[in-house]
Amino acid sequence: KQEIMKKILTILAVLVVFVASFAAKAQDRTCKTDSICGREIVKSAMKYLGSPYRSGHMSPKSGFDCSGFTTFIFSKQNISLPRSSRSQYSALRGDSQVKDRRDLKAGDLVFFSGSRASKSNVGHVGIVTSVDESGNFKFIHSSCSQGVTVSSSQEAYYAKRYIGACRVVDGE
């Protein structure tokens, strides 16, 4: 009887380990298989870090402007975005708008005013890469001075120019 109990306990222990490892792997997946997730968008975008800035362009070979970069990255996931940052914001705000910065997720688009710091006119766009519990976020974008780079919402330049954010994909 003890021998049978040992075998049953061993089998149960193996099953527990198997189920736990399966659950951990399932949790590691970036999203459901039937949808595109923000982390996939970010992973795709990070491949282009260091690409040059080039006004009016949206190609890894010739460079990107900010909206060219977001349009290109989302198009790789078969998601069509308008070409300009202002048009992207206009098309997405409303139901897709993320009103509280603490609710931002990887893959969300963040919008800023242009270099003149007018709070009403969108002139720049990036993709959220991470966000903390306070709503401070990092985002990847194509900047005039650095090309494709990751910046922080806490940098003075972007902090005073933040306009809003929109969700394009549901999963994080």
Side-chain angles (χ1 to χ4, degrees):
K1 244 183 173 181
Q2 282 184 336
E3 198 63 36
I4 292 173
M5 286 302 285
K6 280 185 181 179
K7 285 183 181 181
I8 290 173
L9 288 175
T10 303
I11 290 170
L12 283 174
V14 168
L15 280 172
V16 167
V17 169
F18 175 76
V19 169
S21 96
F22 179 76
K25 285 180 184 172
Q27 205 170 25
D28 283 347
R29 286 186 298 195
T30 55
C31 64
K32 297 174 191 168
T33 56
D34 62 343
S35 67
I36 296 163
C37 295
R39 280 179 267 169
E40 289 175 343
I41 298 291
V42 171
K43 184 178 177 182
S44 176
M46 293 298 232
K47 294 176 185 173
Y48 301 97
L49 276 172
S51 295
Y53 176 87
R54 187 123 180 245
S55 181
H57 288 253
M58 53 184 277
S59 149
K61 290 183 180 172
S62 62
F64 299 99
D65 63 15
C66 66
S67 58
F69 180 65
T70 56
T71 300
F72 175 81
I73 294 302
F74 279 88
S75 73
K76 298 200 57 71
Q77 300 293 336
N78 295 316
I79 298 171
S80 178
L81 292 178
R83 179 58 181 89
S84 75
S85 57
R86 186 175 298 154
S87 296
Q88 288 175 9
Y89 186 64
S90 295
L92 294 168
R93 72 178 181 192
D95 290 343
S96 299
Q97 196 162 7
V98 180
K99 297 191 185 340
D100 189 332
R101 289 169 45 147
R102 292 172 295 185
D103 294 330
L104 287 170
K105 294 182 180 179
D108 288 347
L109 291 177
V110 283
F111 298 91
F112 303 88
S113 60
S115 57
R116 291 190 185 87
S118 162
K119 271 301 221 182
S120 59
N121 292 328
V122 171
H124 192 65
V125 61
I127 302 168
V128 173
T129 58
S130 63
V131 61
D132 68 21
E133 62 281 346
S134 300
N136 298 313
F137 58 89
K138 294 196 184 299
F139 62 103
I140 187 168
H141 61 116
S142 185
S143 78
C144 296
S145 61
Q146 296 179 307
V148 177
T149 189
V150 175
S151 298
S152 169
S153 63
Q154 293 181 290
E155 293 173 31
Y157 183 87
Y158 295 108
K160 67 182 177 183
R161 288 176 170 79
Y162 179 76
I163 291 177
C166 296
R167 181 148 306 136
V168 179
V169 296
D170 287 328
E172 186 172 357

